[in-house]
Amino acid sequence: MLQAAASGRRTAREGDDVHYKGEIETPIGQMTAIVNDDGTLVRLDFKNDIRAQAYRKSPQDIVQNDDAVAHVAAQIAAYFRREIRAFDLSLAPTGSAFLQEA
């Protein structure tokens, strides 16, 4: 279940499948991260990547919320500062079995 709206997240009914999208600035370009209700990373794309448009989630089910992807942004920033070499993020990739294994 989602946290209260005061946290910047939309309040949803039980069973809703809402995802959160946030923009992340990196030294190699802006990225868009999408996480699910648990903060698990579903997608990470470069902004304006045409493949990102193929994401099959309804726009009304994706809420813009940079705070929801702050944990992803923090690890990406640490990577570019050379403080970490591996990411510690829960992943829930979308797509076919082939794409999920890639």
Side-chain angles (χ1 to χ4, degrees), residues 18-72:
V18 178
H19 288 168
Y20 302 94
K21 174 173 83 168
E23 308 304 326
I24 300 171
E25 294 292 336
T26 77
I28 58 173
Q30 189 174 40
M31 301 185 86
T32 300
I34 299 177
V35 298
N36 66 16
D37 190 32
D38 297 326
T40 300
L41 185 62
V42 176
R43 280 192 72 94
L44 183 64
D45 298 295
F46 283 101
K47 187 162 180 105
N48 300 323
D49 184 340
I50 60 170
R51 292 170 291 191
Q53 298 169 5
Y55 186 54
R56 301 194 192 292
K57 198 88 172 121
S58 300
Q60 65 269 21
D61 292 333
I62 303 175
V63 178
Q64 179 70 38
N65 185 339
D66 291 338
D67 291 340
V69 302
H71 62 292
V72 178

Side-chain angles (χ1 to χ4, degrees), residues 44 71-80 84-91:
L44 183 64
H71 62 292
V72 178
Q75 287 196 37
I76 290 173
Y79 175 82
F80 281 109
I84 64 171
R85 293 180 60 171
F87 295 93
D88 182 22
L89 295 167
S90 298
L91 304 177

